[in-house]
């Protein structure tokens, strides 16, 4: 009986081991596949392959021109500072070039993929009115007051005030003279788990630490949710 059992086990156990390996692979796929699928869809979106191109759409160059004109008005009114190292990307002789500080260089090797004919390449800062980060100095915390946001408070993908530290109103106003996040801005984690974009969906005042960046843009010219997905994409 023992021999018969061993003989049967020698036939069955290898099959079980194969099944075990297949099951583990399936579990791994079940965990990673949704993430990979999301990244693939976002990749298609930013490459212009997710939806068919409409030849009647206004070209991206016109949108960029509107953004530049609006920024110029904000600069003249003192609401926005001029970028000291402004980037201009253009196409010439079937190649892409970038001009910064008066110096041109070919950036063909920097571009990760081809884009539709009516699209344009530009640096993120080109479409933003403000790009900065929070205070680089640890403030004096208080028992209550204005929330002070760091990476841990937005790493879930939303702003959470549950475990925030607090600073005084006076210190908040001092910090806000440089970095003043408000509704429809985007916060971006830049320390620890980097690259998580979070939309500011509250009117509650708060300040941010150096671990978080503030992105401000024209909500009339750029869709805030599109920009969120762009920042979530592999690009």
């Amino acid at each position: 009986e023992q021999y018969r059992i061993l003989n049967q086990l020698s036939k069955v156990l290898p099959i079980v081991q194969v099944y075990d390996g297949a099951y583990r692979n399936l579990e791994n796929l079940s965990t990673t596949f949704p993430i990979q699928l999301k990244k693939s869809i976002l990749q298609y979106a930013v490459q212009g392959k997710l939806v068919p191109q409409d030849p009647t759409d206004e070209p991206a160059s016109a949108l960029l021109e509107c953004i530049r004109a609006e920024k110029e008005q904000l600069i003249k009114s003192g609401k926005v500072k001029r970028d000291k190292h402004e980037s201009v990307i253009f196409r010439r002789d079937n190649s892409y070039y970038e001009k910064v500080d008066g110096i041109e260089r070919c950036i063909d090797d920097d571009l990760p993929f081809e884009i539709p004919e009516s699209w344009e390449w530009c640096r993120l800062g080109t479409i933003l009115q403000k790009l900065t980060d929070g205070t680089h100095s640890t403030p004096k915390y208080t028992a209550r007051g204005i929330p002070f946001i760091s990476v841990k408070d937005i790493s879930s993908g939303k702003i959470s005030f549950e475990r925030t530290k607090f600073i005084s109103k006076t210190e908040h106003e001092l910090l806000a003279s440089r970095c003043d996040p408000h509704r429809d801005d985007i916060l971006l984690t830049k320390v620890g788990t980097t690259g998580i974009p979070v939309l500011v969906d509250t009117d509650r005042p708060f300040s941010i630490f150096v671990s978080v960046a503030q992105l401000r843009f024209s909500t009339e010219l750029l869709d805030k949710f599109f920009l969120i997905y762009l920042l979530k994409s592999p690009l």
Side-chain angles (χ1 to χ4, degrees), residues 36-53 113-116 119-121 225-235:
Q36 293 172 346
L37 180 62
K38 182 179 179 180
K39 287 184 177 179
S40 296
I41 292 173
L42 290 174
Q43 181 75 6
Y44 260 64
V46 298
Q47 286 184 246
K49 296 179 178 179
L50 190 61
V51 295
Q53 297 297 304
F113 47 75
E114 291 291 329
I115 54 175
W119 287 30
E120 296 280 335
W121 283 106
F225 296 110
F226 177 83
L227 197 51
I228 286 282
Y229 283 124
L230 171 65
L231 292 169
K232 286 182 177 181
S233 73
L235 175 65

Side-chain angles (χ1 to χ4, degrees), residues 67-181:
I67 292 173
R68 289 191 185 101
E70 185 181 63
K71 284 178 71 172
E72 193 61 34
Q73 288 298 319
L74 292 171
I75 291 169
K76 288 180 179 178
S77 63
K79 295 179 180 179
V80 172
K81 292 182 179 179
R82 188 178 300 279
D83 186 353
K84 295 179 181 179
H85 307 287
E86 186 176 1
S87 161
V88 177
I89 296 176
F90 57 95
R91 194 166 187 176
R92 185 177 63 208
D93 302 327
N94 294 322
S95 287
Y96 284 95
Y97 294 85
E98 181 177 28
K99 187 175 182 179
V100 180
D101 297 331
I103 300 173
E104 291 182 13
R105 71 178 186 93
C106 180
I107 59 170
D108 284 345
D109 292 338
D110 296 348
L111 303 180
F113 47 75
E114 291 291 329
I115 54 175
E117 191 68 28
S118 62
W119 287 30
E120 296 280 335
W121 283 106
C122 71
R123 297 290 179 184
L124 178 62
T126 302
I127 62 172
L128 298 179
Q129 295 175 355
K130 189 169 189 177
L131 175 59
T132 187
D133 55 10
T135 177
H136 289 218
S137 301
T138 303
K140 182 179 180 180
Y141 298 121
T142 56
R144 60 182 61 87
I146 305 297
F148 186 69
I149 297 291
S150 64
V151 166
K152 67 176 177 59
D153 303 308
I154 64 172
S155 57
S156 66
K158 292 184 177 181
I159 300 175
S160 172
F161 294 102
E162 292 181 4
R163 296 186 296 121
T164 60
K165 295 181 178 180
F166 297 94
I167 58 176
S168 67
K169 184 178 180 181
T170 301
E171 185 153 21
H172 165 69
E173 290 174 349
L174 180 64
L175 297 179
S177 63
R178 172 179 171 272
C179 182
D180 58 337

